[in-house]
Amino acid sequence: MLSLFTKSSEKSDLLLLALFAVVVFAMPIWLAPFGAAYPDLMQRFAIYGIFATGFNILFGLTGYLSFGHAAFLGVGSYTAVWTFKLLGMNPIPAIIAAIIVAGLFALLIGFISLRRSGIYFSILTLAFAQMCYNLAYSVLTPITNGETGLRVLRDDLRLFDAPTVGDGGPLLSHIGGIEMTGMPGFYFAAVLLVIMVGLAMRIFRSPFGMMLKAVKTNQTRLNYTGVNTRPYTLAAFVISGMYAGLAGALLCVIDPLAGAERMQWTASGEVVLMTILGGVGTIIGPILGAALIKYFENIFSAFNDQTLNDIFSFLPDQLQEGFVSVTSLFVGEGWNLSLGILFVIIVVFLPGGVTEGLNRIGRFGLRRLGIGHKSKNEDETSPAPGE
Amino acid sequence: MGILEVRDVNKNFGGLKALHNVNLDVQEGSVHAIIGPNGAGKSTLLNCFIGRLTPDTGSVMFNGSTLLGLKPHEINQAGVVRVFQTPEIFSELSLLENVMIPAFAKRDGAFKLNAFSDVARHGEIREKAMHMLEEVGLANDRDKTSSSMSRGDKRRLELAMCLVQDPVLLLLDEPTAGMSRADTNATIDLLKKIGGRGVTKIVIEHDMHVVFSLADRISVLAQGTVIVEDIPSKIKGNEKVQEAYLGGAHL
């Protein structure tokens, strides 16, 4: 069963995708015991899953570590809101426009950044992303509405669904009257997540994907093999930029507001964490990573001193105070500290991320059940440690 | 007229004259060995053919058109393929994939965005790669990665990666260095077999056993210049060669 994750054919890919779709669509059911089955959080699982999946096409396959992918997320968001403002609240044109504009942005930034590799590439992408962020805050205020953030207003053009006089409802995107908030919003994002994961699977299994993996191991050799690597890396960069643009647009579909903080370097760093935490170069890893981070963000940041006092109330007063003051560092505002520790633990003990952990457990389980003849391919296809 | 014509090639590294007025004519279908002591400029010369280095002056013509100024992938696409001295392999990919990549490059050119077609749908590429792996004797390991391979096996894989491209001119940089005697002989047999297909080969080699069992012509390079060029039987007895290269010892 778990070997499906590593050894794949076209047929097993489809099966896996179907399985994945079922798991995603059933999230409201199986996430309930974890206290995560509310739409707002599940929407973010799906959207950041798309973001990380796209990022993984670049980082996981080619090894090029972009530190500025949040720029494309932000560009996608702004484009989506502008489409809402100009054309109307239907999310479909907004998504298409966001993917195209983010793709063009990626083409420009990638064209320049990919002239360098390694750390220089990372720094270049970081620089471009910070430029975008600062421009959005300052010079481009007419387009981005600066600090306030860009939102859809009552008197916007909205060519195709201009508000009727006295239309007092909230400004939400909708398809055929179904507003893209709450559960419909989640299912909209979930459908797109499944489609985008399906596309990523195809890329992983295509000659194009094979070339990208070869870029990661030995780009110079690939040149001497008669392959022009630049168009390949640029295509990977643009594709992953488009994924980010889609994710950015979806953030605005469920909540039509775009702010510059979405392009901050912390947001770029977050997607790197998601991918590494989940498992670089695997299909499912980045999605798991995205879900884990969003889940922990949600759970830990909700804790406050009161809840901690309740938890440790069984202890004597002195101890309770001590425990609360120590643990409070790791929750609420300080949840990033917990995330950092989790990240360190994963990278040190499971360099292949959560996916590697699951594979290990799976193999162990199979062996225990006695059906586990150790598949000879499993070891080799598990992601390489510490890229 | 040779398939590869090198005229008055000079290459300096700072004050060091690595190549000094090198001339070379390689006949189509022949095996041309370049020998010489360490530091004679053999690898430098080879690097000038594949675009890793550009000569300061002189010309390198392949099949009537210049190789100078072309990018490495363009030179490969023209049919000039180099077998690397230290095997450069895509270590995270399986052996089969390692050979499929050059096969794709040969069929599809320097860039083709076939992003959404399944690898399994390119049966002819797979078969070609499999056939090549069989020929070098690695077919049973096709799904393994190269990390656990012996050095000799890596070199055979390297050779398969180059041969699968049906090269016009094959550049071999010490193809048997670090190989056991048995592996060396197997490689010589393999190279002779390709010779039957009319592939022109340039071989840089230290192992005289290999040189004399393969080469049709030999150029001797010393201190950046070709001191002698002749057929193997005459090279053996040439005094200049023994002086410069073998330090006077007899073969």
Side-chain angles (χ1 to χ4, degrees), chain A residues 10 205 221 224-226 228, chain B residues 76-77 110 118-119 121 165:
Chain A
E10 208 168 350
R205 287 181 49 72
R221 177 67 172 102
Y224 289 102
T225 307
N228 191 2
Chain B
N76 174 286
Q77 290 287 336
D118 197 287
V119 169
R121 295 211 177 146
Q165 297 198 304

Side-chain angles (χ1 to χ4, degrees), chain A residues 35-51:
Chain A
Y38 51 96
D40 192 45
L41 186 59
M42 289 190 299
Q43 285 163 359
R44 269 182 283 158
F45 286 171
I47 292 170
Y48 283 95
I50 293 174
F51 188 25

Side-chain angles (χ1 to χ4, degrees), chain B residues 11 31 33 118 191 193 210-211 244:
Chain B
K11 179 74 190 173
V31 179
D118 197 287
L191 288 174
K193 212 159 63 173
V210 178
V211 171

Side-chain angles (χ1 to χ4, degrees), chain A residues 223-235:
Chain A
N223 276 321
Y224 289 102
T225 307
V227 177
N228 191 2
T229 51
R230 188 74 63 74
Y232 281 101
T233 47
L234 187 57

Side-chain angles (χ1 to χ4, degrees), chain A residues 10 202-203 205-208 210-211 213-214 217-218 221-228 231-232 380 384 387, chain B residues 50 52 72-73 76-77 88 90 92 97 101-102 105 110-113 115-119 121-122 158 165:
Chain A
E10 208 168 350
R202 285 319 291 264
I203 291 176
R205 287 181 49 72
S206 68
F208 173 71
M210 204 198 248
M211 291 295 179
K213 283 180 214 161
T217 37
N218 201 336
R221 177 67 172 102
L222 202 53
N223 276 321
Y224 289 102
T225 307
V227 177
N228 191 2
Y232 281 101
E380 288 140 19
E387 282 301 328
Chain B
I50 59 160
R52 193 174 255 190
H73 65 87
N76 174 286
Q77 290 287 336
E88 302 223 1
F90 307 116
E92 278 182 31
E97 286 172 317
I101 281 176
F111 174 67
K112 191 179 178 192
L113 188 62
F116 301 113
S117 64
D118 197 287
V119 169
R121 295 211 177 146
H122 301 271
E158 169 83 26
Q165 297 198 304

Side-chain angles (χ1 to χ4, degrees), chain A residues 155-168:
Chain A
D155 52 0
D156 277 329
L157 180 62
R158 288 165 65 193
L159 213 53
F160 296 111
D161 66 347
T164 46
V165 183
D167 179 5

